[in-house]
């Protein structure tokens, strides 16, 4: 990973968060919090159980250590874990491999997808409602679709099915889909978040974003945004690495471009370059710091108004 994009933060970084409930005991591992990690001394993918996230203090995650640099993670409908590794590959691990990590933390991925002369500096990834996997290329300023058919075909050197570039993306990092299938992409360098409608995602091209949310000039609404998350009502929550805040934009504020003032601003003292955000099934917000890997969980009632809440749970993560 090109650590310089993170403006000199020390090299022990949580990059992407993913929490899923797969619904059956046989896939209970997917109910964990999954984090992709990169650091100067080694990284990979970590998994924290719900029990570990229910109590304060240090926690030792399960490691998936096949690759020492992972920047994006996503589960498909079959509970396979897909990860962006090394900046230019996408790999797949099966549920069986994930359940066996305590015994074999270095499984060989069953699928390795490359795109020679296309992938440059991949970061985040995410599945759209049709099962296509989208990856974000920060260097090329693009979002690229690996279609469900390409994923099913297995390992190979492929040309992405769809490639979208835009002058509205400046150093894009992560991609998040809303319930309608629209793609929201954060641009860390540009201090902005852009939306591409589901219709715009149907074809390749250089396109203008449907919605552009921009910094207000004072770094109070968007300031090096990290991985964003939607709550159950469709409101958007954004961790701002350089402002040490997590902010909410309501669903109504997302209907048009502009420099919206956050409906809620959290500036908890535990924030130290907050970088990843995700909601659990109870509506609690989990935030992970980029600098120290601390995981903080805020209850849904703590999200109703601005302030500096103390998280209900704070977990000291791995040091890798």
């Amino acid at each position: 990973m090109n650590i310089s994009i993170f403006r000199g933060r020390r090299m022990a970084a949580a990059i992407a968060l993913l929490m899923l409930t797969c619904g059956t005991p046989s896939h209970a591992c997917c109910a964990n919090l999954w984090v992709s990690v990169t650091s100067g001394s080694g990284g990979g993918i970590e998994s924290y159980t719900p029990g570990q996230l229910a109590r304060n203090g240090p926690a030792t995650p399960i490691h998936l250590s096949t690759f020492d640099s992972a920047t994006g993670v996503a589960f498909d409908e079959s509970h396979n874990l897909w990860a962006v590794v090394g900046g230019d590959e996408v790999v797949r691990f099966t549920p069986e491999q994930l359940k066996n990590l305590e015994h074999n933390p270095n499984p060989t991925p069953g699928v390795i997808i490359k795109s020679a002369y296309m992938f440059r500096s991949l970061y985040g990834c995410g599945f759209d409602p049709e099962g296509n996997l989208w990856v974000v290329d920060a260097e090329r300023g693009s979002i690229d679709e690996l279609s469900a058919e390409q994923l099913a075909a297995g390992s190979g050197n492929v040309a992405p099915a769809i490639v979208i570039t835009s002058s509205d993306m400046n150093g894009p990092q992560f991609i998040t889909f809303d319930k309608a299938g629209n793609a929201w992409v954060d641009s860390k360098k540009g201090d902005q978040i852009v939306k591409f409608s589901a219709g715009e995602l149907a074809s390749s091209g250089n396109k203008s974003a449907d919605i552009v949310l921009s910094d207000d000039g004072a770094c109070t609404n968007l300031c090096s945004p990290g991985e964003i998350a939607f709550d159950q009502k469709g409101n958007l929550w954004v961790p701002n690495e350089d402002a040490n805040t997590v902010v909410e934009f309501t669903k109504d504020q997302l209907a048009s471009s502009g420099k919206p003032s956050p409906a809620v601003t959290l500036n908890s003292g535990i924030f130290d370059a907050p970088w990843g955000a995700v909601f659990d099934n109870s509506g609690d917000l989990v935030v992970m710091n980029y600098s120290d890997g601390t995981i903080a969980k805020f209850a849904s009632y703590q999200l109703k108004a601005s302030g500096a809440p103390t998280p209900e749970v704070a977990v000291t993560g791995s040091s890798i």
Side-chain angles (χ1 to χ4, degrees), residues 127-149:
F127 279 97
D128 67 20
E130 284 72 45
N132 307 305
L133 182 64
W134 291 78
V135 295
V136 181
D137 195 316
E139 182 176 326
R140 291 175 51 248
S142 69
I143 53 174
D144 306 344
E145 181 201 86
L146 298 174
S147 69
E149 291 77 14

Side-chain angles (χ1 to χ4, degrees), residues 264-282:
V264 171
T265 298
L266 305 180
N267 53 8
S268 176
I270 202 167
F271 293 153
D272 186 3
W275 184 239
V278 68
F279 282 91
D280 65 17
N281 286 342
S282 299

